[in-house]
Amino acid sequence: MSDFDRNEILTPGARLRRIEELLAERGSLSLRDALAEMTVSEMTLRRDFANLERLGLVERTWGGILPKRPLVPEVGHDEREQTEAGAKRTI
């Protein structure tokens, strides 16, 4: 968790970064949870969710958002091939 103060007034960019942090921590983020974390109106958060969707970063759901990109970076073929190589040879 970050050292975020719930009562701190955030710029739009800082709000979007905070939403992304919460989404990464939780895997999904409801409007209700986001409202509990930040001192902004429901309409402000709805616009922020819409902006993140427009940027292609999230998918809107009923009452919240989900990440569009994987939260865990995908591992390339070469790296997967080297992972546990000894055990794979044994098998």
Side-chain angles (χ1 to χ4, degrees):
M1 284 207 183
S2 67
D3 53 352
F4 174 77
D5 178 7
R6 182 196 180 288
N7 296 316
E8 180 181 354
I9 296 174
L10 299 174
T11 63
R15 265 196 332 270
L16 295 179
R17 284 189 298 279
R18 180 62 183 147
I19 290 168
E20 287 182 315
E21 286 176 8
L22 291 169
L23 190 57
E25 288 172 10
R26 300 171 185 197
S28 67
L29 184 62
S30 70
L31 184 62
R32 181 174 294 176
D33 288 346
L35 283 168
E37 291 287 334
M38 292 182 265
T39 309
V40 295
S41 72
E42 181 177 331
M43 286 309 301
T44 296
L45 278 173
R46 287 183 184 280
R47 284 190 295 271
D48 288 345
F49 284 10
N51 286 336
L52 289 169
E53 181 181 38
R54 227 180 338 273
L55 292 170
L57 301 174
V58 301
E59 178 182 332
R60 302 276 305 268
T61 63
W62 189 81
I65 54 175
L66 295 170
K68 219 170 197 177
R69 64 185 185 279
L71 293 176
V72 177
E74 291 187 29
V75 179
H77 177 270
D78 293 338
E79 190 174 339
R80 283 195 317 268
E81 190 173 54
Q82 297 303 316
T83 303
E84 301 289 337
K88 289 176 183 177
R89 277 191 292 276
T90 303
I91 294 172

Coordinates of all heavy atoms in Angstrom, one line a residue:
M1 N 0.8 -1.2 0.0 CA 0.0 0.0 0.0 C 0.9 1.2 0.0 O 2.0 1.2 0.5 CB -0.9 0.0 1.2 CG -2.0 -0.9 1.2 SD -3.3 -0.2 2.2 CE -4.5 -1.5 2.0
S2 N 0.3 2.3 -0.6 CA 1.1 3.6 -0.6 C 0.7 4.4 0.7 O -0.2 4.1 1.4 CB 0.7 4.3 -1.9 OG -0.6 4.8 -1.8
D3 N 1.5 5.4 0.9 CA 1.3 6.3 2.0 C 0.3 7.4 1.6 O 0.5 8.6 1.8 CB 2.6 6.9 2.5 CG 3.4 7.5 1.4 OD1 3.0 7.4 0.2 OD2 4.4 8.2 1.8
F4 N -0.8 7.0 1.0 CA -1.8 7.9 0.5 C -2.7 8.4 1.6 O -3.2 7.6 2.4 CB -2.6 7.1 -0.6 CG -3.8 7.9 -1.1 CD1 -3.6 8.9 -2.0 CD2 -5.1 7.6 -0.7 CE1 -4.7 9.6 -2.5 CE2 -6.2 8.3 -1.1 CZ -6.0 9.3 -2.1
D5 N -3.0 9.7 1.7 CA -3.9 10.3 2.6 C -5.3 10.4 2.0 O -5.4 11.1 1.0 CB -3.4 11.6 3.1 CG -4.3 12.3 4.1 OD1 -5.3 11.7 4.5 OD2 -4.0 13.5 4.4
R6 N -6.3 9.7 2.5 CA -7.6 9.7 1.9 C -8.2 11.1 1.7 O -8.9 11.4 0.8 CB -8.6 8.9 2.7 CG -9.9 8.8 2.1 CD -10.9 8.3 3.2 NE -12.3 8.1 2.6 CZ -13.0 9.1 2.3 NH1 -12.6 10.4 2.4 NH2 -14.3 8.9 1.8
N7 N -7.9 12.0 2.6 CA -8.4 13.4 2.6 C -7.6 14.3 1.7 O -8.0 15.5 1.6 CB -8.5 13.9 4.0 CG -9.5 13.1 4.8 OD1 -10.6 12.7 4.3 ND2 -9.2 12.8 6.0
E8 N -6.5 13.9 1.2 CA -5.7 14.7 0.3 C -6.4 15.0 -1.0 O -7.1 14.2 -1.6 CB -4.4 14.0 0.0 CG -3.4 14.7 -0.9 CD -2.2 13.9 -1.2 OE1 -2.0 12.8 -0.6 OE2 -1.4 14.4 -1.9
I9 N -6.4 16.3 -1.4 CA -7.0 16.7 -2.7 C -6.0 16.3 -3.8 O -4.8 16.8 -3.8 CB -7.3 18.2 -2.7 CG1 -8.3 18.5 -1.6 CG2 -7.8 18.6 -4.0 CD1 -8.7 19.9 -1.4
L10 N -6.4 15.5 -4.7 CA -5.6 15.0 -5.8 C -5.8 15.7 -7.1 O -7.0 16.0 -7.4 CB -5.8 13.5 -6.0 CG -5.4 12.6 -4.8 CD1 -5.8 11.2 -5.0 CD2 -4.0 12.7 -4.4
T11 N -4.8 15.9 -7.9 CA -5.0 16.4 -9.2 C -5.5 15.3 -10.1 O -5.5 14.1 -9.7 CB -3.6 16.8 -9.8 OG1 -2.8 15.7 -9.9 CG2 -2.9 17.9 -9.0
P12 N -6.1 15.6 -11.2 CA -6.7 14.5 -12.0 C -5.6 13.4 -12.4 O -6.0 12.2 -12.3 CB -7.1 15.2 -13.3 CG -7.5 16.6 -12.8 CD -6.4 16.9 -11.8
G13 N -4.4 13.8 -12.7 CA -3.4 12.8 -13.0 C -3.1 11.9 -11.8 O -2.9 10.7 -11.9
A14 N -3.0 12.5 -10.6 CA -2.7 11.8 -9.4 C -3.9 10.9 -9.0 O -3.6 9.7 -8.5 CB -2.4 12.8 -8.2
R15 N -5.1 11.3 -9.3 CA -6.2 10.4 -9.1 C -6.2 9.2 -10.0 O -6.4 8.1 -9.5 CB -7.6 11.2 -9.4 CG -8.2 11.8 -8.2 CD -9.7 12.2 -8.5 NE -10.0 12.5 -9.8 CZ -10.0 13.7 -10.3 NH1 -9.5 14.7 -9.6 NH2 -10.3 13.9 -11.6
L16 N -5.9 9.4 -11.2 CA -5.8 8.3 -12.2 C -4.7 7.3 -11.7 O -4.9 6.1 -11.8 CB -5.5 8.7 -13.6 CG -6.7 9.5 -14.2 CD1 -6.3 10.0 -15.6 CD2 -8.0 8.8 -14.2
R17 N -3.5 7.8 -11.3 CA -2.5 6.9 -10.8 C -2.9 6.2 -9.5 O -2.6 5.0 -9.4 CB -1.2 7.7 -10.5 CG -0.4 8.1 -11.7 CD 0.9 8.7 -11.4 NE 0.9 9.9 -10.6 CZ 0.6 11.2 -11.1 NH1 0.4 11.3 -12.4 NH2 0.6 12.2 -10.3
R18 N -3.7 6.8 -8.6 CA -4.2 6.2 -7.4 C -5.2 5.1 -7.8 O -5.1 4.0 -7.2 CB -4.8 7.2 -6.5 CG -5.4 6.6 -5.2 CD -4.3 5.9 -4.4 NE -4.9 5.3 -3.2 CZ -4.4 4.2 -2.6 NH1 -3.4 3.7 -3.1 NH2 -5.0 3.7 -1.6
I19 N -6.0 5.3 -8.8 CA -7.0 4.3 -9.2 C -6.2 3.1 -9.8 O -6.5 2.0 -9.5 CB -8.0 4.9 -10.3 CG1 -8.9 5.9 -9.6 CG2 -8.7 3.8 -11.0 CD1 -9.7 6.8 -10.6
E20 N -5.2 3.4 -10.6 CA -4.4 2.3 -11.1 C -3.7 1.5 -10.0 O -3.6 0.3 -10.1 CB -3.3 2.8 -12.1 CG -3.9 3.3 -13.4 CD -2.9 3.8 -14.4 OE1 -2.0 4.5 -14.0 OE2 -2.9 3.4 -15.6
E21 N -3.2 2.2 -9.0 CA -2.6 1.5 -7.8 C -3.6 0.6 -7.2 O -3.3 -0.6 -6.9 CB -2.1 2.5 -6.8 CG -0.8 3.2 -7.1 CD -0.5 4.3 -6.0 OE1 -1.1 4.3 -5.0 OE2 0.4 5.1 -6.3
L22 N -4.8 1.1 -6.9 CA -5.8 0.3 -6.2 C -6.2 -0.9 -7.1 O -6.4 -2.0 -6.6 CB -7.1 1.2 -6.0 CG -6.9 2.2 -4.9 CD1 -8.1 3.2 -4.9 CD2 -6.7 1.6 -3.5
L23 N -6.3 -0.7 -8.4 CA -6.7 -1.7 -9.3 C -5.6 -2.8 -9.3 O -5.9 -4.0 -9.3 CB -6.9 -1.2 -10.7 CG -7.4 -2.1 -11.8 CD1 -8.8 -2.6 -11.4 CD2 -7.6 -1.3 -13.1
A24 N -4.3 -2.4 -9.3 CA -3.2 -3.4 -9.3 C -3.2 -4.2 -8.0 O -3.0 -5.4 -8.0 CB -1.9 -2.7 -9.5
E25 N -3.5 -3.5 -6.9 CA -3.5 -4.2 -5.6 C -4.7 -5.2 -5.5 O -4.5 -6.3 -4.9 CB -3.7 -3.2 -4.4 CG -2.5 -2.3 -4.2 CD -2.9 -1.2 -3.2 OE1 -4.0 -1.2 -2.6 OE2 -2.0 -0.3 -3.0
R26 N -5.8 -4.9 -6.0 CA -7.0 -5.6 -5.8 C -7.5 -6.5 -7.0 O -8.3 -7.4 -6.8 CB -8.2 -4.7 -5.5 CG -7.9 -3.9 -4.2 CD -8.9 -2.8 -4.0 NE -8.5 -2.0 -2.8 CZ -9.3 -1.2 -2.2 NH1 -10.5 -1.1 -2.5 NH2 -8.8 -0.5 -1.2
G27 N -7.0 -6.2 -8.2 CA -7.4 -7.0 -9.3 C -8.6 -6.5 -10.0 O -8.9 -6.7 -11.2
S28 N -9.5 -5.8 -9.3 CA -10.7 -5.1 -9.8 C -11.0 -4.0 -8.8 O -10.5 -4.0 -7.7 CB -11.9 -6.1 -9.9 OG -12.3 -6.5 -8.6
L29 N -11.8 -3.0 -9.3 CA -12.1 -1.9 -8.4 C -13.5 -1.5 -8.7 O -13.9 -1.2 -9.8 CB -11.1 -0.7 -8.7 CG -11.2 0.5 -7.8 CD1 -10.9 0.1 -6.3 CD2 -10.3 1.6 -8.3
S30 N -14.3 -1.5 -7.6 CA -15.7 -1.0 -7.7 C -15.7 0.5 -7.5 O -14.8 1.1 -6.8 CB -16.5 -1.7 -6.7 OG -16.3 -1.3 -5.4
L31 N -16.7 1.1 -8.0 CA -16.9 2.5 -7.7 C -17.1 2.8 -6.2 O -16.5 3.7 -5.7 CB -18.2 3.0 -8.5 CG -18.5 4.5 -8.5 CD1 -17.4 5.3 -9.1 CD2 -19.8 4.7 -9.1
R32 N -17.8 1.9 -5.6 CA -18.0 2.1 -4.1 C -16.6 2.1 -3.4 O -16.4 2.9 -2.5 CB -18.9 1.0 -3.6 CG -19.1 1.1 -2.1 CD -20.1 0.1 -1.6 NE -21.4 0.5 -2.3 CZ -22.5 -0.2 -2.2 NH1 -22.5 -1.3 -1.5 NH2 -23.6 0.2 -2.8
D33 N -15.7 1.1 -3.7 CA -14.4 1.0 -3.1 C -13.6 2.3 -3.4 O -12.9 2.8 -2.5 CB -13.7 -0.2 -3.5 CG -14.3 -1.5 -2.9 OD1 -15.1 -1.4 -1.9 OD2 -14.0 -2.6 -3.4
A34 N -13.6 2.7 -4.6 CA -12.9 3.9 -5.0 C -13.4 5.1 -4.2 O -12.6 5.9 -3.8 CB -12.9 4.1 -6.5
L35 N -14.7 5.2 -4.1 CA -15.2 6.4 -3.3 C -14.8 6.3 -1.9 O -14.5 7.4 -1.3 CB -16.8 6.3 -3.4 CG -17.4 6.8 -4.7 CD1 -18.9 6.5 -4.7 CD2 -17.2 8.3 -4.8
A36 N -14.6 5.1 -1.3 CA -14.2 5.0 0.1 C -12.7 5.4 0.2 O -12.3 5.8 1.3 CB -14.4 3.6 0.6
E37 N -12.0 5.3 -0.9 CA -10.5 5.6 -0.8 C -10.2 7.1 -1.1 O -9.1 7.5 -0.7 CB -9.8 4.7 -1.8 CG -9.8 3.3 -1.5 CD -8.8 3.0 -0.3 OE1 -7.8 3.7 -0.1 OE2 -9.0 2.0 0.4
M38 N -11.1 7.8 -1.8 CA -10.8 9.1 -2.2 C -11.9 10.1 -1.9 O -13.0 9.7 -1.9 CB -10.5 9.2 -3.7 CG -9.2 8.4 -4.1 SD -8.9 8.5 -5.8 CE -9.6 7.0 -6.4
T39 N -11.5 11.3 -1.6 CA -12.5 12.4 -1.3 C -12.9 13.1 -2.6 O -12.4 14.2 -2.9 CB -12.0 13.4 -0.3 OG1 -11.5 12.6 0.8 CG2 -13.0 14.3 0.2
V40 N -13.7 12.5 -3.5 CA -14.1 13.1 -4.7 C -15.6 12.6 -4.9 O -16.0 11.7 -4.2 CB -13.3 12.7 -5.9 CG1 -11.9 13.2 -5.8 CG2 -13.3 11.2 -6.1
S41 N -16.3 13.2 -5.8 CA -17.7 12.9 -6.1 C -17.7 11.6 -6.9 O -16.8 11.2 -7.6 CB -18.4 14.0 -6.8 OG -18.0 14.1 -8.1
E42 N -18.9 11.0 -6.9 CA -19.2 9.8 -7.7 C -19.0 10.1 -9.1 O -18.4 9.3 -9.9 CB -20.6 9.3 -7.4 CG -20.9 8.0 -8.2 CD -22.3 7.5 -7.8 OE1 -22.8 7.7 -6.7 OE2 -22.9 6.9 -8.7
M43 N -19.5 11.3 -9.6 CA -19.4 11.6 -11.0 C -17.9 11.8 -11.4 O -17.5 11.5 -12.5 CB -20.2 12.9 -11.3 CG -21.7 12.7 -11.3 SD -22.2 11.3 -12.4 CE -21.6 11.8 -14.0
T44 N -17.1 12.4 -10.5 CA -15.7 12.5 -10.8 C -15.0 11.2 -11.1 O -14.3 11.0 -12.0 CB -15.0 13.3 -9.7 OG1 -15.5 14.6 -9.6 CG2 -13.5 13.4 -9.9
L45 N -15.3 10.2 -10.2 CA -14.8 8.9 -10.4 C -15.3 8.2 -11.6 O -14.6 7.5 -12.3 CB -15.1 8.0 -9.1 CG -14.1 8.2 -8.0 CD1 -14.5 7.4 -6.8 CD2 -12.7 7.8 -8.4
R46 N -16.6 8.4 -11.9 CA -17.1 7.8 -13.2 C -16.4 8.4 -14.4 O -16.1 7.6 -15.3 CB -18.6 8.1 -13.3 CG -19.5 7.3 -12.3 CD -21.0 7.6 -12.5 NE -21.8 6.9 -11.6 CZ -22.1 5.6 -11.6 NH1 -21.7 4.9 -12.7 NH2 -22.8 5.0 -10.7
R47 N -16.1 9.7 -14.4 CA -15.4 10.3 -15.5 C -13.9 9.7 -15.5 O -13.4 9.5 -16.6 CB -15.3 11.8 -15.3 CG -16.6 12.5 -15.7 CD -16.5 14.0 -15.8 NE -16.2 14.6 -14.5 CZ -17.2 15.0 -13.7 NH1 -18.5 14.8 -14.0 NH2 -16.8 15.5 -12.5
D48 N -13.3 9.6 -14.3 CA -12.0 9.0 -14.3 C -12.0 7.6 -14.9 O -11.1 7.2 -15.6 CB -11.4 9.0 -12.9 CG -11.1 10.4 -12.4 OD1 -10.9 11.3 -13.2 OD2 -10.9 10.5 -11.1
F49 N -13.0 6.7 -14.5 CA -13.1 5.4 -15.0 C -13.2 5.4 -16.5 O -12.6 4.7 -17.3 CB -14.3 4.7 -14.4 CG -14.1 4.2 -13.0 CD1 -13.0 4.5 -12.2 CD2 -15.0 3.3 -12.4 CE1 -12.8 4.0 -10.9 CE2 -14.8 2.8 -11.1 CZ -13.7 3.2 -10.4
A50 N -14.1 6.4 -17.0 CA -14.3 6.5 -18.5 C -13.0 6.9 -19.2 O -12.7 6.4 -20.3 CB -15.4 7.5 -18.7
N51 N -12.2 7.8 -18.6 CA -10.9 8.2 -19.2 C -10.0 7.1 -19.2 O -9.3 6.9 -20.2 CB -10.3 9.4 -18.4 CG -11.0 10.7 -18.6 OD1 -11.7 10.9 -19.6 ND2 -10.9 11.6 -17.6
L52 N -9.9 6.3 -18.2 CA -9.0 5.1 -18.2 C -9.4 4.1 -19.3 O -8.6 3.5 -19.9 CB -9.0 4.4 -16.8 CG -8.2 5.2 -15.8 CD1 -8.4 4.6 -14.4 CD2 -6.7 5.3 -16.1
E53 N -10.8 4.0 -19.4 CA -11.3 3.1 -20.5 C -10.9 3.6 -21.9 O -10.5 2.9 -22.7 CB -12.8 2.9 -20.4 CG -13.3 2.0 -21.4 CD -14.8 1.8 -21.3 OE1 -15.5 2.8 -21.0 OE2 -15.3 0.7 -21.5
R54 N -11.1 4.9 -22.1 CA -10.7 5.6 -23.3 C -9.2 5.4 -23.7 O -8.9 5.3 -24.8 CB -11.1 7.1 -23.3 CG -11.8 7.5 -24.5 CD -12.2 9.0 -24.4 NE -12.3 9.7 -23.2 CZ -13.4 9.8 -22.4 NH1 -14.5 9.1 -22.7 NH2 -13.4 10.5 -21.3
L55 N -8.4 5.4 -22.6 CA -7.0 5.2 -22.8 C -6.6 3.7 -23.1 O -5.5 3.4 -23.4 CB -6.2 5.7 -21.6 CG -6.2 7.2 -21.4 CD1 -5.6 7.6 -20.0 CD2 -5.5 7.9 -22.5
G56 N -7.6 2.9 -23.0 CA -7.4 1.4 -23.2 C -6.7 0.7 -22.0 O -6.2 -0.4 -22.2
L57 N -6.8 1.3 -20.8 CA -6.1 0.7 -19.7 C -7.1 -0.2 -18.9 O -6.6 -1.1 -18.2 CB -5.6 1.8 -18.8 CG -4.5 2.7 -19.4 CD1 -4.1 3.8 -18.5 CD2 -3.3 1.9 -19.8
V58 N -8.4 0.1 -18.9 CA -9.3 -0.7 -18.2 C -10.5 -1.1 -19.0 O -10.8 -0.5 -20.1 CB -9.8 0.0 -16.9 CG1 -8.7 0.4 -16.0 CG2 -10.6 1.3 -17.3
E59 N -11.3 -2.0 -18.5 CA -12.6 -2.4 -19.1 C -13.6 -2.1 -18.0 O -13.5 -2.4 -16.9 CB -12.6 -3.9 -19.4 CG -13.8 -4.4 -19.9 CD -13.8 -5.9 -20.1 OE1 -12.7 -6.5 -20.4 OE2 -14.8 -6.6 -20.0
R60 N -14.6 -1.4 -18.4 CA -15.7 -1.0 -17.5 C -16.6 -2.2 -17.3 O -16.9 -3.0 -18.2 CB -16.6 0.1 -18.1 CG -15.8 1.4 -18.4 CD -15.6 2.4 -17.3 NE -16.8 2.8 -16.6 CZ -17.5 3.9 -16.8 NH1 -17.2 4.6 -17.9 NH2 -18.5 4.2 -16.1
T61 N -17.0 -2.4 -16.1 CA -18.0 -3.4 -15.7 C -19.1 -2.7 -15.0 O -19.1 -1.5 -14.7 CB -17.3 -4.4 -14.7 OG1 -17.0 -3.8 -13.5 CG2 -16.1 -5.1 -15.4
W62 N -20.2 -3.5 -14.7 CA -21.3 -2.9 -14.0 C -20.8 -2.5 -12.6 O -20.4 -3.4 -11.8 CB -22.4 -3.9 -13.9 CG -23.7 -3.3 -13.3 CD1 -24.6 -2.5 -14.0 CD2 -24.1 -3.3 -12.0 NE1 -25.6 -2.1 -13.2 CE2 -25.3 -2.6 -11.9 CE3 -23.7 -3.9 -10.8 CZ2 -26.0 -2.4 -10.8 CZ3 -24.4 -3.8 -9.7 CH2 -25.6 -3.1 -9.7
G63 N -20.6 -1.2 -12.3 CA -20.2 -0.8 -11.0 C -18.7 -0.7 -10.7 O -18.3 -0.5 -9.6
G64 N -17.9 -0.9 -11.8 CA -16.5 -0.9 -11.5 C -15.6 -1.0 -12.8 O -16.1 -0.8 -13.9
I65 N -14.4 -1.4 -12.6 CA -13.4 -1.6 -13.7 C -12.5 -2.8 -13.4 O -12.3 -3.2 -12.3 CB -12.5 -0.3 -13.8 CG1 -11.8 0.1 -12.5 CG2 -13.3 0.8 -14.4 CD1 -10.8 1.2 -12.7
L66 N -12.0 -3.3 -14.5 CA -11.0 -4.4 -14.5 C -9.9 -4.0 -15.4 O -10.0 -3.2 -16.3 CB -11.6 -5.7 -15.1 CG -12.8 -6.3 -14.4 CD1 -13.4 -7.4 -15.3 CD2 -12.3 -6.9 -13.1
P67 N -8.7 -4.4 -15.0 CA -7.5 -4.1 -15.9 C -7.6 -4.7 -17.3 O -8.1 -5.9 -17.4 CB -6.3 -4.6 -15.1 CG -6.9 -5.7 -14.3 CD -8.3 -5.3 -14.0
K68 N -7.3 -4.0 -18.3 CA -7.3 -4.6 -19.6 C -6.0 -5.3 -19.9 O -6.0 -6.3 -20.6 CB -7.5 -3.5 -20.7 CG -8.4 -3.9 -21.8 CD -8.8 -2.7 -22.6 CE -10.0 -3.1 -23.4 NZ -10.5 -2.1 -24.2
R69 N -4.9 -4.9 -19.4 CA -3.6 -5.6 -19.6 C -3.4 -6.5 -18.4 O -3.9 -6.2 -17.3 CB -2.5 -4.6 -19.7 CG -2.3 -3.7 -18.5 CD -1.2 -2.7 -18.7 NE -0.9 -2.0 -17.5 CZ -1.6 -1.0 -17.0 NH1 -2.7 -0.6 -17.6 NH2 -1.3 -0.4 -15.9
P70 N -2.6 -7.5 -18.6 CA -2.4 -8.4 -17.5 C -1.7 -7.7 -16.3 O -0.8 -6.9 -16.6 CB -1.5 -9.5 -18.0 CG -1.3 -9.2 -19.5 CD -2.0 -7.9 -19.8
L71 N -2.1 -8.0 -15.1 CA -1.4 -7.4 -14.0 C 0.0 -8.0 -13.8 O 0.9 -7.3 -13.3 CB -2.2 -7.6 -12.7 CG -3.5 -6.9 -12.7 CD1 -4.3 -7.3 -11.4 CD2 -3.3 -5.4 -12.7
V72 N 0.2 -9.2 -14.2 CA 1.5 -9.9 -14.1 C 2.0 -9.9 -15.6 O 1.4 -10.4 -16.5 CB 1.4 -11.3 -13.6 CG1 2.7 -12.0 -13.6 CG2 0.8 -11.3 -12.2
P73 N 3.2 -9.3 -15.8 CA 3.8 -9.3 -17.1 C 3.9 -10.7 -17.7 O 4.3 -11.7 -17.0 CB 5.1 -8.7 -17.0 CG 5.3 -8.3 -15.6 CD 4.1 -8.8 -14.8
E74 N 3.6 -10.9 -19.0 CA 3.7 -12.1 -19.6 C 5.2 -12.5 -19.8 O 6.0 -11.6 -20.1 CB 3.0 -12.1 -21.0 CG 1.5 -12.1 -20.9 CD 0.8 -12.2 -22.2 OE1 1.4 -12.9 -23.1 OE2 -0.2 -11.6 -22.3
V75 N 5.5 -13.7 -19.7 CA 6.9 -14.2 -19.8 C 7.1 -14.7 -21.2 O 6.2 -15.5 -21.7 CB 7.2 -15.3 -18.7 CG1 8.6 -15.8 -18.9 CG2 6.9 -14.8 -17.3
G76 N 8.2 -14.3 -21.8 CA 8.5 -14.8 -23.2 C 8.9 -16.2 -23.2 O 9.2 -16.9 -22.2
H77 N 8.8 -16.8 -24.5 CA 9.1 -18.2 -24.7 C 10.5 -18.6 -24.2 O 10.7 -19.6 -23.5 CB 9.0 -18.5 -26.2 CG 9.3 -19.9 -26.5 ND1 10.6 -20.3 -26.8 CD2 8.6 -21.1 -26.5 CE1 10.6 -21.6 -27.0 NE2 9.4 -22.1 -26.8
D78 N 11.5 -17.8 -24.5 CA 12.9 -18.1 -24.1 C 13.0 -18.1 -22.6 O 13.7 -19.0 -22.0 CB 13.9 -17.0 -24.6 CG 14.0 -17.1 -26.2 OD1 13.7 -18.2 -26.7 OD2 14.4 -16.1 -26.8
E79 N 12.4 -17.2 -21.9 CA 12.4 -17.2 -20.4 C 11.7 -18.4 -19.8 O 12.2 -19.0 -18.9 CB 11.8 -15.9 -19.9 CG 12.1 -15.7 -18.4 CD 11.6 -14.4 -17.9 OE1 11.5 -13.4 -18.7 OE2 11.4 -14.3 -16.7
R80 N 10.5 -18.8 -20.4 CA 9.8 -19.9 -19.9 C 10.6 -21.2 -20.2 O 10.6 -22.1 -19.4 CB 8.4 -20.0 -20.7 CG 7.4 -19.1 -20.2 CD 6.0 -19.5 -20.6 NE 5.9 -19.9 -22.0 CZ 5.7 -19.1 -23.1 NH1 5.5 -17.8 -22.9 NH2 5.6 -19.5 -24.3
E81 N 11.3 -21.2 -21.3 CA 12.1 -22.4 -21.6 C 13.2 -22.6 -20.6 O 13.5 -23.8 -20.2 CB 12.7 -22.2 -23.0 CG 13.4 -23.5 -23.6 CD 13.8 -23.2 -25.0 OE1 14.5 -22.3 -25.3 OE2 13.4 -24.1 -25.8
Q82 N 13.8 -21.6 -20.0 CA 14.9 -21.7 -19.1 C 14.4 -21.9 -17.6 O 15.1 -22.4 -16.8 CB 15.7 -20.4 -19.1 CG 16.4 -20.1 -20.4 CD 17.3 -21.3 -20.8 OE1 18.0 -21.8 -20.0 NE2 17.2 -21.7 -22.1
T83 N 13.1 -21.6 -17.4 CA 12.6 -21.8 -16.0 C 12.5 -23.2 -15.7 O 11.9 -24.0 -16.5 CB 11.2 -21.1 -15.9 OG1 11.3 -19.8 -16.3 CG2 10.6 -21.2 -14.5
E84 N 13.1 -23.6 -14.6 CA 13.1 -25.0 -14.1 C 13.6 -26.0 -15.2 O 13.0 -27.1 -15.4 CB 11.6 -25.4 -13.7 CG 11.1 -24.6 -12.5 CD 11.8 -24.8 -11.2 OE1 12.4 -25.9 -11.0 OE2 11.7 -23.9 -10.4
A85 N 14.6 -25.6 -15.9 CA 15.1 -26.4 -17.1 C 15.5 -27.8 -16.6 O 15.3 -28.8 -17.3 CB 16.2 -25.6 -17.8
G86 N 16.2 -27.9 -15.4 CA 16.6 -29.1 -14.9 C 15.5 -30.1 -14.6 O 15.5 -31.3 -15.0
A87 N 14.5 -29.6 -14.0 CA 13.3 -30.4 -13.7 C 12.6 -30.8 -15.0 O 12.1 -32.0 -15.1 CB 12.3 -29.6 -12.8
K88 N 12.6 -30.0 -16.0 CA 11.9 -30.3 -17.2 C 12.7 -31.4 -17.9 O 12.1 -32.3 -18.5 CB 11.8 -29.1 -18.1 CG 10.8 -28.1 -17.6 CD 10.8 -26.8 -18.5 CE 9.9 -25.8 -18.0 NZ 9.9 -24.6 -18.8
R89 N 14.0 -31.4 -17.9 CA 14.8 -32.4 -18.5 C 14.6 -33.8 -17.8 O 14.5 -34.8 -18.4 CB 16.3 -32.1 -18.5 CG 16.7 -31.2 -19.6 CD 18.2 -31.0 -19.7 NE 18.8 -30.3 -18.5 CZ 18.9 -29.0 -18.4 NH1 18.4 -28.2 -19.4 NH2 19.5 -28.5 -17.4
T90 N 14.4 -33.7 -16.5 CA 14.2 -34.9 -15.7 C 12.9 -35.6 -16.1 O 12.8 -36.8 -16.2 CB 14.2 -34.6 -14.2 OG1 15.4 -34.0 -13.8 CG2 14.0 -35.9 -13.4
I91 N 11.9 -34.8 -16.3 CA 10.6 -35.3 -16.7 C 10.7 -35.9 -18.1 O 10.2 -36.9 -18.4 CB 9.5 -34.2 -16.7 CG1 9.3 -33.7 -15.3 CG2 8.2 -34.6 -17.3 CD1 8.4 -32.5 -15.1

